[in-house]
Every structure is written in structure tokens, then in C-alpha cells.
Amino acid sequence: MTVPPVPLPARTTVGVVGAGPAGLLLARLLHRAGIDCVVLESRTRDYVEQRQRAGILEQATVDALRSSGAAERLDREGLAHDGVELRWGRRRHRVDFPSLTGGRRVWVYAQTEVVKDLIGLQLGDGAPLLFDAPVSAVVGADTARPLVRYTHGGAEHTLACDYVVGCDGFHGVTRNAAPEGALTTFERAYPYSWLGVLADVAPSNDELVYAHSPRGFALLSMRSPTVSRLYLQVPNGTDPGAWTDERIWDELDARFAVDGDWSLARGPITQKSVLPMRSVVTEPMRWGRVLLAGDAAHIVPPTGAKGLNLAAADVIVLARAFEQWARTGSTAGLDAYSDTCLRRVWRAEHFSWFMTTTLHTAPGQSDFDTRLQLSQLDRVAASAHAAAELAENYVGGPVG
Ligand code: APR
Ligand code: PHB
């Protein structure tokens, strides 16, 4: 028996473009607040759920997932982390979060798992979440009824909204809803990328390891007690296929090398990908009745583990603003949204730039610049104030 197609909504309160962490968490928060929304995602569910991304959640992100009923598996499988390790000049230095930040910590739980959990809940609740539904345009941002034009099932459709939120990432279309010149983009590109790998081997450190070395940056992270996530700095344009497993492990060994008893366990590499490093901010994050959240509004280099958490912070603020509007008719929260979020965005941009430029060895970097980096790392090891500045930024703070 053929299942009758689900009737596509022609109208909703909040149209959400994109089902990454930003779009999915916003939809979950709105659904829990009784505000109807429709999520339109261009890719398939499988593609969205398998896309390898970050793995660090700030407490505010965890709290939002918990309050929206989306943290049952996170609470069971997530790993609470109380610090990270920095390495330079064959030295190791641990930055302890709780003692430096008044008790705060972070959680290790892959973005892929956050996305799976949110999709499962939304679909389980029958919330309108359409995959294979690419949005071609958002129009009418300066009207009371912005429209989202999309295709699904081989046909063109239009969704009439009270508001549209672009959660469609760096390559999305929602930014185009603003007139030419209305938005300003601030950008910085970095002269290196990351080669990221997943490996079926237990992580060789209990906490994350960020390593500065003359050969380039390396990061040891994890996905579970049996799966390691590792990254190494490579030139822009690197082909992941040019790196054999052995070459990857040999290079990671060289970059993590320290005096004393530590070794990097090896195992089969199951996934390789290269990601560029860039900082981008679009201001303002709103034009009329169209708002931007997450990577659609800002990009950070992953060194500070801020991308997912900034996306979550945006939609936490936005969901509160929509709830205020739905309850009282006041648009005060919506009107303040961009300025509220940009304060946190620029703090995260600076921290991500600081971590990236302190830990990476740029092509042709002068010895003077290397000495500055090593002096900064020595400072973190020697001064509780310097260590606290790094820890405070890494764990993040309350949203809004
Ligand atoms: N129509 C519908 N969906 C679209 C369109 C479009 N025209 N363009 C992009 N999308 C979808 C993408 O397929 C993707 O699933 O929007 C989603 C955007 O998700 P993300 O790029 O993950 O962005 P965001 O939700 O803001 O999450 C930010 O994800 O990319 C990482 O490092 C980033 O951790 C950060 C987090
Ligand atoms: C990850 O686990 O993928 C990860 C962790 C910390 C970072 C970046 C990525 O800074």
C-alpha cells in the first residue's frame, strides 16, 4: 500500500532553513515552546547525520539540550572533561577548568550524535522536518510575510512565514534575502588547513591535547573510549588521499612528542578529510523578518571548539526572543538579537584566532614569531591569570 505523501505546509510561524545543529536545536526549542515551525533541509537525513564535525559542548549547550529533552543519550554517553593539555617544546601543561573558572567544565559528545538525537526527537514528535528540500530563495524579508521557495518531491513549493531563520551554514542562501550592501562581512583566511581523521583506537590521553610543534599543529580528541579523533595542520589544498595511515601516524608522533613516558597508540583510520581554516562574521544577523544563526552568520577556525556552541548560543537567544514575541507581542528580544549574539560571536572569534595563531606554525613563519608563540605558551603555564583567561574562553559562559 503506498503511503499518502505528507501534506506540505504552506504556512508557518517560523520557517527554518537548514537542519544542522542550529536549525535542529532552534526547531526543538520552538516546538517545546508551542511555536510552530517548519525545517527545510537540502540534504538527505543520512548525509546530515554522518557529516563529521566537532565534538566539544559547552555547559550552556548541554543545558539547552537537556531543557529541550534532547540529552538522554548525551547524559549516558557524553564524557565530562575538566581540562585540556597543551604541548610545546616537548613539554606538557594541563589547563584545569574547574579551579580556574569556578567549577565549569566541557562535554565531549560528537556533533553527529547531537544531530541524530535532535532529528529523532523532532520526527518522533511529528514536527515538520523535510529532508531533500533545498531552498532556492527567501524573499520578502522587509514584509510581514516573508516567503521561502523550495523544491521537494520534484515540485516547487512556497512556505509563507511570519519569520524566517537562516540556519543554512556558510554556503546557504538565506543571507541573499537582504538587499545588496545591507550586510557587512568581516573575514580572515588562514594559510593552512586541518587534516582530520577518525581512528578505531582508544584515545592515548584522557583529555584533549593541543600541540604546537615546528612541524605544525596537532590535536588529539576523541569520540568514545574506543574511537580517537585527531587533526594535524596541513597546507591549504592538501589532498587527504595523499596521506597514508602510516604517514599520518608518523607525523602525529613527531608533533605530540614529549619528554617522559607517553606514546600515541595507533589503529585503523576509518575517515580522512581536510577542512580549511577561516574566520567570518556577517553583520547584522538580521534583516527585517529574516534572521541568521550559526554558520550562516559566522565561521570560526575549529581550534577553539566554538562553532557548534556559537550556533547553539544564537538559537537559545532566538528561541527566548520568539517566546517573548508569541507571549506578549513584544519584538524587543528579536530587535536585540543581533547585538546580543554578536558580543559572544566576536569574543569567540578572538579566542579562536588566539588559539589558532598561537598553536599553528604558518608557512615561512619567522623565528621571531615562533618565539612569541612559545612565550605565550610559557605564560599560560606560569600564570594562573593567563591560564584562567584561556580556560574561561574555552568553557564559555551563560548565554545572553
Ligand atoms: N536549503 C536547505 N538547506 C540548506 C541549504 C539550502 N539552500 N543550504 C545549506 N543547507 C543546509 C546544509 O545541508 C546543512 O545541513 O543547512 C545546514 C547547515 O548546517 P551547518 O553547516 O552544520 O551549520 P550550523 O547548523 O550553523 O552548525 C554549525 O556545524 O559546520 C559545523 O563547524 C560548524 O560546528 C559548527 C556547526
Ligand atoms: C573534535 O573533537 O572534533 C574537536 C575538539 C576540539 C577542537 C576541535 C575539534 O578544538
Side-chain angles (χ1 to χ4, degrees), residues 187-262:
E187 194 158 7
R188 176 188 291 265
Y190 296 86
Y192 33 73
S193 297
W194 278 9
L195 169 60
V197 301
L198 273 181
D200 282 344
V201 61
S204 296
N205 213 63
D206 291 342
E207 295 173 330
L208 273 66
V209 179
Y210 290 78
H212 172 285
S213 95
R215 303 174 67 96
F217 170 80
L219 169 60
L220 179 152
S221 184
M222 65 275 300
R223 290 292 176 265
S224 75
T226 59
V227 177
S228 293
R229 178 67 166 161
L230 298 129
Y231 300 93
L232 65 158
Q233 174 191 335
V234 293
N236 284 334
T238 290
D239 170 9
W243 283 74
T244 64
D245 291 17
E246 186 179 12
R247 183 186 177 195
I248 291 171
W249 287 118
D250 288 347
E251 191 58 35
L252 288 167
D253 263 341
R255 298 186 186 189
F256 285 124
V258 288
D259 294 333
D261 178 23
W262 187 86

Side-chain angles (χ1 to χ4, degrees), residues 87-92 212-214 257-259 374 377:
R87 290 188 183 179
W88 68 99
R90 301 183 67 83
R91 289 177 59 187
R92 309 173 68 172
H212 172 285
S213 95
V258 288
D259 294 333
L374 298 177
L377 292 164

Side-chain angles (χ1 to χ4, degrees), residues 139-200:
V139 298
D142 52 358
T143 71
R145 182 75 77 239
L147 303 176
V148 180
R149 304 205 193 289
Y150 68 100
T151 56
H152 185 65
E156 299 291 320
H157 303 274
T158 297
L159 179 67
C161 311
D162 289 327
Y163 286 91
V164 176
V165 182
C167 299
D168 44 350
F170 184 66
H171 302 290
V173 298
T174 309
R175 280 192 306 273
N176 304 333
E180 187 74 27
L183 305 180
T184 303
T185 299
F186 302 84
E187 194 158 7
R188 176 188 291 265
Y190 296 86
Y192 33 73
S193 297
W194 278 9
L195 169 60
V197 301
L198 273 181
D200 282 344

